[in-house]
Structures are given as C-alpha cells and as structure tokens.
C-alpha cells in the first residue's frame, strides 16, 4: 500500500472493512468472498477470448446487408412511399395518422411509442408493414451488434465480464473499455456458428438442464413438476397435457397441431412456453404480448397452467410472507438479499424470480466455473472460454492432453455440477448435459452421452469418435 497508493487502491483499502462488516452482519460474507474469487477466472476468459471465423462473419454481414435492402424495398412498396424503418416519427405518422390506429402508450415512459411491443400488436391486427419493420430491426440488430462486432487484432471475440452486474449473482458482460467485443452471454444462433475451436482443440458446452424450472419445482414444492423430473417424463408435454386436458401420449410435437394463436405451433410448444414464462407470475396480457397470441388464448393458458401446478402460486404466497417478515430472502447457497424497493407487484415478481435465478447462478459459478479454474489437478484439460448464466463454454486440447485425461476432467466437472442442492430438508440434482463440436452453434454441436456408471476410458472413445466425425466435415 505504501509503495503504490493511487486513489483506486486507497479507496478500496478504506472501503473494504466497512463492506466486510456489512456483509457479515447480513450473513453474506461467504457470498462476497465467493463472488470475489470469480474475478481471476473472469479476467482469464476476457484475456483468452474465443476464436472467430472472420471470413465467414464478413460474408454473413454482406448477406445481411442484402436482406436489409430487400426488406426496405418491400416496406416502401407496402407503404406507398419511401420510409425509414428506424425513424420513430415516420412510423408514428404511418400507423397513427395515415392508418388511423389508436396510438400505443409505453408503460415505461407514458408516451406514444412504436417500440417492439407496439409493432407486434399492429402485426397481429394484420399490418404487414409492422411485420416487415420488426424483421428489419432484427437484421439491423444482428448485423450491427454481432456480424459487424469489433474483434481484437488477433481476430478473437472478447468481452468484459462484471461479477456484480446483477442482483442475483448472475454475471453480466459487455464490450470492453476500448469498444472491443460485445455481450457474449446473449449471442444469437446466427452468430455462434462463427465461433470455432482453436487448432488441436474441440469445443464443449455444458448446460444445466431446465435449471430454473427444476429449482421452482422443488422449492415450491410442486409435486406434479417434481414427478416429471424424477421419472423422466417430458415436462413440456406434461404441461401441455394438463393445459389442453389430454393424455400425455396424445400431445403432439408436430408444427401446427395446436389452434392457439395463428395455429402455426405445436401443443408441446405451448407447454414449453408456459414452463419458461409463467413461474414468476406473468399475467395473461403480458403472456399474450410475449407470445403474440390473442388475450383470450393467453388467459386460457395462464389459468390452466396454475390449475395444473398450484404449488407455484403457493410459492408466490410464501415469498410475499417472507418479504413481510423483514424483506429478506435466502437461497440454498446461503446468499441473502434485502428487497427495499416500493411494496407492490413489481417488487413481488422480482422476488419470485430471485431464488431460482440466484440458485442457478451460484451453482454454475461455484460448482462449475470456480471448480474448473481452481481445481487444476482434475480439470487441467479444461480451458474456460465463456459463461452463459446456466452453461459454460470451454475447449480441450487433445495434443497436450490425452482423450482419457479430457474424459476424466469432464466427469469431474459433471460430478461437481450435479452436487445435490439442499432445501428445507430435501435435496435435488440438476443434471449437467455436455455437447461437443468444432463450431459453437446448436446445429453443429453433438450431445455427449454420459451414463451414470461412465468411466474415463469408455468416454474417451466416444469423444475421439466424435472428433473424427467433426474433422471429416470441418473446413475453414
């Protein structure tokens, strides 16, 4: 401290005893220490970066530019004159004056808006112009944020991770202070195909299977959900069966098998959409907006969902009761949070989601990221590259390490991630599922099948066979 006493170090030194005292008083000292331990692996991932197929990215950007030109021409034809899809004033004039629609008001600002939600409503009313504007915005975002992303001089994608970027313990990421990179935790599939393994390595993605859904099921508790997870029933089909009042074996996964909305989705789709949307008390109007279906259909789904899973609403009541007794919640890892915002629905909904989200964040960070980085005796082959809330991307070098060493590291990481979560005398496991590939996109990755009695030798053979198949089809 005496040798280097710039203001940043001086302030940290002065602030830490106070922070430590407050954390200890709240019961969060261990949480602070665990979150602090993340800094080193996050700096490592930022420094390491991910290899990118730059040529492929540039070609995709050119195709996106062509697509935007085609869409702009189509929009001008539909409107009858030249219009800028990114001009708020021109779009407001088009829909609210020329077309005579009642203006939509933003819930956030209270002013007239043509934001995404307003355009979705207009599209549902049959305005093709609104659908085209939405598509233009999609391609504009994809091109400007991802396909034209600023890479470092070594053509690697990097980001700046923030270990305290959220209130739940989830990491956040963004471009760095030099304007290089982007948020690597929200990469679209159209971009992931350009993230590729380094020479002599293969990529892996480990994902916690339906993590938040499982946490909700067990902490509620909701017996029907728990039964689905423990017996291996397709929980999305089960939800659809309960919503549509049909036997589960009659639930279809065929596109167009459900009449909900415009009839273009399957029955299982609505079960899956409900499971992902309705655990945190999303209302039927918001569900209609998110899924772009009529409010009557949305009300039917929301009502049937909570009839099928009454434990979810019981969990909401428990959360409100805990908030009323001191405004503090605690997750299974001992992380605590005091909710000091204004009492009401917005506070409640944030609280409903906090335990599941923070539980998954602590599990993937503590038993995944920290385990792999600091436990080098077992995890030496694992080169961590990215963390995406409930998953970790890493690569393994098969020249520096044998396939059996890689297999052993994967089994150790899987065992750590599948450490049981204990909640009020019960315990449950969130399965960790692994995929392997040369490119990061879902269509390129292949599932790694790991049995309960898997051994490194057998797994090593599977990994090598997968690598040979990838090598035969991969080229740059």
């Amino acid at each position: 401290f005496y040798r280097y006493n710039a203001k940043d170090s001086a302030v940290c030194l002065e602030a830490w005893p106070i922070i430590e005292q407050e954390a200890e008083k709240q019961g969060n000292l261990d949480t602070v220490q665990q979150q602090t331990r993340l800094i080193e692996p996050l700096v490592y991932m930022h420094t390491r970066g991910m290899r990118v197929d730059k040529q492929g990215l540039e070609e995709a950007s050119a195709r996106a530019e062509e697509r935007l030109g085609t869409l702009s021409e189509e929009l001008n034809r539909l409107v009858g004159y030249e219009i800028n899809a990114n001009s708020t004033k021109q779009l407001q004039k088009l829909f609210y004056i020329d077309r005579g629609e009642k203006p939509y008001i933003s819930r956030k600002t209270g002013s007239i808006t043509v934001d995404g939600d307003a355009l979705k409503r207009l599209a549902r009313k049959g305005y093709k112009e609104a659908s085209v504007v939405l598509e233009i915005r999609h391609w504009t975002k994809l091109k400007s944020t991802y396909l034209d992303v600023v890479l470092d001089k070594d053509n690697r994608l990097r980001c700046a991770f923030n270990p305290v970027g959220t209130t739940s313990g989830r990491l956040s990421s963004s471009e760095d202070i030099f304007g290089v990179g982007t948020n690597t935790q929200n990469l679209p599939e159209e971009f992931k195909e350009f993230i590729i393994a380094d020479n002599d390595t293969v990529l892996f993605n480990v994902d916690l299977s339906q993590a938040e859904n499982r946490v909700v099921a067990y902490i509620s508790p909701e017996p029907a959900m728990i039964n689905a997870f423990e017996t291996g029933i397709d929980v999305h089909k089960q939800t659809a069966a309960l919503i549509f009042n049909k036997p589960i074996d009659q639930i279809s996964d065929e596109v167009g098998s459900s009449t909900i909305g415009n009839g273009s989705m399957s029955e299982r789709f609505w079960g899956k959409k409900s499971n992902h949307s309705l655990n945190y008390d999303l209302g039927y109007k918001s569900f209609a907006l998110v899924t772009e279906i009529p409010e009557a259909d949305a009300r039917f789904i929301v009502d049937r969902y909570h009839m099928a899973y009454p434990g979810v609403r019981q969990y909401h009541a428990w959360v409100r009761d805990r908030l009323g007794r001191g405004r503090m919640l605690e997750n299974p890892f001992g992380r605590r949070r005091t909710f000091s915002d204004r009492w009401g629905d917005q506070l409640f909904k944030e609280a409903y989601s906090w335990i599941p989200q923070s539980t998954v964040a602590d599990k993937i960070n503590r038993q995944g990221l920290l385990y792999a980085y600091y436990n080098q005796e077992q995890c030496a082959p694992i080169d961590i590259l990215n963390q995406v809330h409930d998953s970790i991307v890493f690569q393994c070098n098969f020249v520096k390490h044998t396939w059996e060493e890689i297999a052993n590291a994967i089994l150790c990481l899987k065992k750590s991630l599948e450490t049981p979560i204990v909640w009020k005398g019960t315990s449950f496991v969130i399965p960790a599922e692994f995929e392997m590939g040369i490119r990061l996109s879902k269509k390129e990755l292949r599932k790694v099948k790991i049995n309960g009695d898997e051994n490194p030798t057998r797994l090593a053979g599977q990994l090598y066979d997968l690598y040979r198949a990838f090598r035969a089809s991969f080229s740059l």
Side-chain angles (χ1 to χ4, degrees):
F1 175 64
Y2 286 109
R3 291 182 180 179
Y4 178 74
N5 62 347
K7 289 183 178 180
D8 55 353
S9 62
V11 170
C12 287
L13 189 65
E14 294 164 356
W16 169 243
I18 301 172
I19 294 172
E20 184 179 33
Q21 185 178 23
E22 291 180 352
E24 193 165 13
K25 182 179 179 181
Q26 193 183 42
N28 263 334
L29 186 57
D30 178 67
T31 296
V32 171
Q33 292 170 343
Q34 293 294 329
Q35 212 71 14
T36 302
R37 290 185 74 218
L38 283 168
I39 294 174
E40 191 172 321
L42 296 186
V43 170
Y44 175 82
M45 290 193 294
H46 167 77
T47 306
R48 190 77 175 88
M50 295 182 284
R51 184 185 178 197
V52 172
D53 176 4
K54 186 178 180 182
Q55 180 180 342
L57 203 62
E58 291 172 346
E59 292 171 355
S61 177
R63 291 194 296 271
E65 186 69 34
E66 292 179 8
R67 179 60 179 160
L68 282 168
T70 301
L71 289 168
S72 294
E73 291 177 2
E74 183 180 0
L75 180 62
N76 293 338
R77 179 181 57 79
L78 289 168
V79 172
Y81 56 83
E82 190 170 326
I83 186 172
N84 181 359
N86 297 311
S87 170
T88 298
K89 289 185 178 180
Q90 290 185 33
L91 291 179
Q92 286 180 354
K93 178 179 180 296
L94 170 65
F95 292 113
Y96 303 147
I97 297 177
D98 297 350
R99 300 294 189 261
E101 281 296 320
K102 181 181 178 180
Y104 289 105
I105 306 300
S106 170
R107 294 182 180 180
K108 295 181 180 179
T109 65
S111 57
I112 296 175
T113 181
V114 281
D115 62 10
D117 290 342
L119 289 169
K120 287 177 182 178
R121 292 188 181 105
L122 290 164
R124 287 208 303 268
K125 287 185 174 183
Y127 287 103
K128 177 67 173 175
E129 305 96 309
S131 298
V132 175
V133 172
L134 283 169
E135 192 172 354
I136 288 174
R137 289 185 177 180
H138 165 76
W139 282 100
T140 300
K141 172 73 173 178
L142 177 65
K143 186 177 186 302
S144 63
T145 304
Y146 300 107
L147 301 182
D148 294 338
V149 66
V150 178
L151 302 175
D152 267 324
K153 293 179 181 179
D154 57 1
N155 291 333
R156 298 182 78 83
L157 176 67
R158 294 183 171 88
C159 75
F161 286 101
N162 185 351
V164 291
T166 71
T167 57
S168 65
R170 298 175 79 181
L171 305 178
S172 66
S173 67
S174 63
E175 66 179 22
D176 66 20
I177 59 174
F178 304 106
V180 174
T182 187
N183 175 6
T184 61
Q185 296 176 292
N186 194 32
L187 299 175
E189 282 299 314
E190 297 100 321
F191 181 85
K192 287 181 181 178
E193 65 177 290
F194 303 109
I195 295 178
I196 54 178
D198 284 309
N199 293 334
D200 300 330
T201 72
V202 286
L203 289 170
F204 290 91
N205 181 72
V206 54
D207 178 77
L208 295 176
S209 174
Q210 298 181 327
E212 283 190 34
N213 232 30
R214 290 178 190 269
V215 175
V216 169
Y218 283 92
I219 67 176
S220 293
E222 174 39 62
M225 279 189 192
I226 293 173
N227 180 66
F229 287 126
E230 294 196 347
T231 58
I233 294 173
D234 183 331
V235 70
H236 300 320
K237 278 194 173 183
Q238 173 179 283
T239 300
L242 294 169
I243 288 174
F244 297 115
N245 195 27
K246 295 173 63 174
I248 193 169
D249 59 359
Q250 294 182 21
I251 293 298
S252 174
D253 200 12
E254 183 179 346
V255 173
S257 58
S258 172
T259 58
I260 295 291
N262 60 11
S264 63
M265 302 300 180
S266 70
E267 292 173 323
R268 183 181 182 276
F269 170 86
W270 291 113
K272 182 177 181 178
K273 202 70 176 177
S274 299
N275 286 333
H276 290 167
S277 303
L278 301 179
N279 285 335
Y280 306 142
D281 202 27
L282 186 72
Y284 76 90
K285 290 186 178 181
S286 297
F287 186 74
L289 188 61
V290 169
T291 58
E292 301 180 45
I293 61 175
E295 290 185 357
D297 287 345
R299 184 194 285 271
F300 168 77
I301 290 176
V302 172
D303 288 347
R304 295 286 298 181
Y305 181 85
H306 288 294
M307 286 176 60
Y309 299 131
V312 174
R313 286 263 166 87
Q314 292 172 13
Y315 162 65
H316 295 166
W318 175 82
V319 168
R320 292 194 300 272
D321 179 70
R322 295 297 301 172
L323 292 175
R325 295 171 183 263
R327 287 179 171 257
M328 180 178 286
L329 295 179
E330 181 177 349
N331 78 4
F333 287 88
R335 178 187 291 271
R336 295 180 176 183
R337 180 185 170 189
T338 300
F339 290 78
S340 54
D341 292 338
R342 183 179 180 180
W343 192 262
D345 286 344
Q346 186 173 347
L347 173 68
F348 299 152
K349 288 179 180 179
E350 187 175 356
Y352 300 152
S353 66
W354 184 81
I355 291 181
Q357 289 182 355
S358 65
T359 299
V360 175
D362 283 333
K363 172 164 278 291
I364 198 73
N365 287 335
R366 298 185 188 192
Q367 297 170 347
L369 208 57
L370 293 179
Y371 178 84
Y373 182 79
Y374 288 108
N375 191 15
Q376 283 299 295
E377 185 175 345
Q378 282 81 22
C379 299
I382 294 177
D383 185 15
I384 55 174
L385 300 176
N386 197 21
Q387 188 263 45
V388 190
H389 305 312
D390 60 359
S391 66
I392 298 172
V393 177
F394 62 93
Q395 62 183 13
C396 294
N397 188 305
F398 51 79
V399 174
K400 291 182 179 179
H401 302 278
T402 67
W403 286 104
E404 189 157 339
E405 288 173 338
I406 293 171
N408 184 69
I410 287 173
L411 291 175
C412 287
L413 179 58
K414 180 178 174 65
K415 182 178 179 181
S416 177
L417 284 169
E418 293 183 350
T419 302
I421 295 173
V422 178
W423 176 260
K424 293 186 176 181
T426 64
S427 65
F428 61 96
V429 171
I430 301 177
E433 298 178 346
F434 288 77
E435 296 172 305
M436 172 181 166
I438 301 296
R439 293 179 181 267
L440 194 57
S441 68
K442 283 290 183 184
K443 65 181 180 181
E444 300 285 345
L445 293 171
R446 295 293 179 268
K447 185 175 181 179
V448 178
K449 299 176 182 178
I450 303 178
N451 301 321
D453 60 345
E454 192 64 84
N455 63 70
T457 302
R458 187 167 56 196
L459 179 58
Q462 181 189 167
L463 298 179
Y464 179 66
D465 289 342
L466 284 172
Y467 164 68
R468 290 183 63 189
F470 290 134
R471 187 176 61 179
S473 61
F474 179 73
S475 64
L476 269 182

